[in-house]
Amino acid sequence: MQRESSSERTLNAASTQTRTRLITIPMSHYCEKARWGLFHAGRDYREEAHLQGFHYLATGMRGWGRRVPVLVEGGEVITDSSLILAHLDKRLPDARKLYPAALNVEIKALEENFSTELGVESRRWVYFHWLNEDTRSLLKVAGQGVPYWQRAIAPVMFPLMRAFLSSLLEPTADKVERGLGTIQRAFDNVEARLRDGRPYLLGDRFTAADLTFACMAAPVLLPREYGIHLPTLEEAPEACRADVRSFSLHPAGQFALQLFRARGSMNSGQST
């Protein structure tokens, strides 16, 4: 079954009428975290995708800040991926909760660590390797599901966008090299947790810690089941392929990829 693009993604045919909207940058792994949370919660929603920078028109001009994802649901606006997961979790039965009470403190500690360390460095790694790719290659990934007018004017705007993102994220060679050490340590720590044979990071139950690790690791793994179509290894910049191969073969990388495969199977109706 062919996966839907982000502009087509709905959880049922009526979702275009739903009050729940998710404002995203399509390739963002923080936005993927929110998508996964909505999928886990079985929620109907409509995704509003924007290119980097253009998302300010949908968020900042409404007083919602400059970061995505943003979940808009009725009169509520939630502006952080972790807060979105917690918001969605409130309505789930105990058996489905991503933050079960007995594990809540440890889950949130792991989630925070993955989001602020692994996620920051995997994002920097992406922009270091992709930011100077040609505009057409960038738009093939970053432009999935965004409004046509954004794709149309992006080639003219990209020099400014590159300069802005370089200033914001500082994807320099030395910082990326140090960041790879942070990513490696996160993978090694996850491997150590799983070494006793447990299926998930905190035991027998899938939690927000597992979901967050998989999403924050995704940039260096390029999972096929991601919420948009990521490049294959052969399509990725040659300079980053060795990193993708190495992290994909790491036990923690295998764990994250398996979580994506399991979600993909449920999404395509192969299991429930």
Side-chain angles (χ1 to χ4, degrees):
M1 181 177 179
Q2 185 176 0
R3 286 188 292 119
E4 298 169 322
S5 69
S6 60
S7 63
E8 297 168 333
R9 185 179 302 106
T10 56
L11 296 181
N12 65 30
S15 66
T16 55
Q17 304 301 320
T18 187
R19 294 184 303 159
T20 301
R21 296 181 291 135
L22 183 68
I23 301 171
T24 69
I25 291 172
M27 65 183 287
S28 164
H29 51 343
Y30 294 98
C31 294
E32 180 70 3
K33 178 178 170 180
R35 287 191 198 107
W36 197 330
L38 284 159
F39 172 76
H40 179 82
R43 299 291 291 278
D44 298 341
Y45 74 100
R46 177 164 53 91
E47 182 169 344
E48 296 181 8
H50 299 274
L51 285 172
Q52 289 86 332
F54 292 100
H55 71 282
Y56 292 166
L57 299 175
T59 59
M61 293 183 66
R62 294 172 177 169
W64 298 342
R66 295 186 173 185
R67 297 194 305 175
V68 288
V70 173
L71 184 70
V72 183
E73 189 168 51
E76 294 187 86
V77 178
I78 301 96
T79 59
D80 175 87
S81 60
S82 295
L83 294 178
I84 289 171
L85 288 195
H87 167 78
L88 295 169
D89 213 51
K90 294 175 183 176
R91 302 186 187 180
L92 292 180
D94 288 346
R96 294 281 294 167
K97 285 189 180 297
L98 293 171
Y99 302 91
L103 300 172
N104 189 52
V105 173
E106 195 169 3
I107 291 168
K108 289 189 173 180
L110 286 171
E111 179 183 32
E112 177 71 9
N113 180 266
F114 293 145
S115 294
T116 59
E117 296 191 18
L118 172 60
V120 168
E121 295 305 334
S122 63
R123 178 177 61 190
R124 196 194 313 272
W125 178 91
V126 164
Y127 281 97
F128 176 76
H129 286 291
W130 263 271
L131 201 54
N132 292 313
E133 289 290 290
D134 65 274
T135 301
R136 183 176 179 181
S137 297
L138 285 172
L139 279 176
K140 185 178 179 181
V141 179
Q144 294 175 61
V146 307
Y148 173 78
W149 67 268
Q150 293 183 17
R151 292 178 60 92
I153 69 173
V156 177
M157 298 294 294
F158 260 156
L160 289 175
M161 293 170 66
R162 283 190 176 103
F164 170 72
L165 290 169
S166 293
S167 174
L168 180 68
L169 303 175
E170 299 184 285
T172 61
D174 59 329
K175 288 196 173 186
V176 169
E177 187 63 30
R178 289 197 297 271
L180 281 170
T182 299
I183 296 170
Q184 184 69 50
R185 285 190 294 276
F187 274 54
D188 290 345
N189 289 338
V190 166
E191 178 188 9
R193 280 185 170 271
L194 299 173
R195 197 168 288 145
D196 61 5
R198 66 181 66 184
Y200 300 110
L201 290 174
L202 294 173
D204 294 329
R205 181 166 180 164
F206 177 74
T207 71
D210 304 288
L211 188 158
T212 302
F213 173 71
C215 290
M216 298 303 103
V220 298
L221 299 174
L222 302 178
R224 294 179 59 187
E225 300 81 8
Y226 200 78
I228 63 169
H229 296 279
L230 295 180
T232 64
L233 182 64
E234 293 73 23
E235 293 169 336
E238 187 172 357
C240 77
R241 294 176 191 173
D243 291 338
V244 176
R245 290 191 188 97
S246 176
F247 286 121
S248 296
L249 292 172
H250 191 287
Q254 289 288 300
F255 169 67
L257 289 168
Q258 177 54 38
L259 292 178
F260 270 102
R261 284 192 292 270
R263 187 190 74 169
S265 295
M266 289 188 285
N267 202 25
S268 63
Q270 295 174 13
S271 63
T272 58

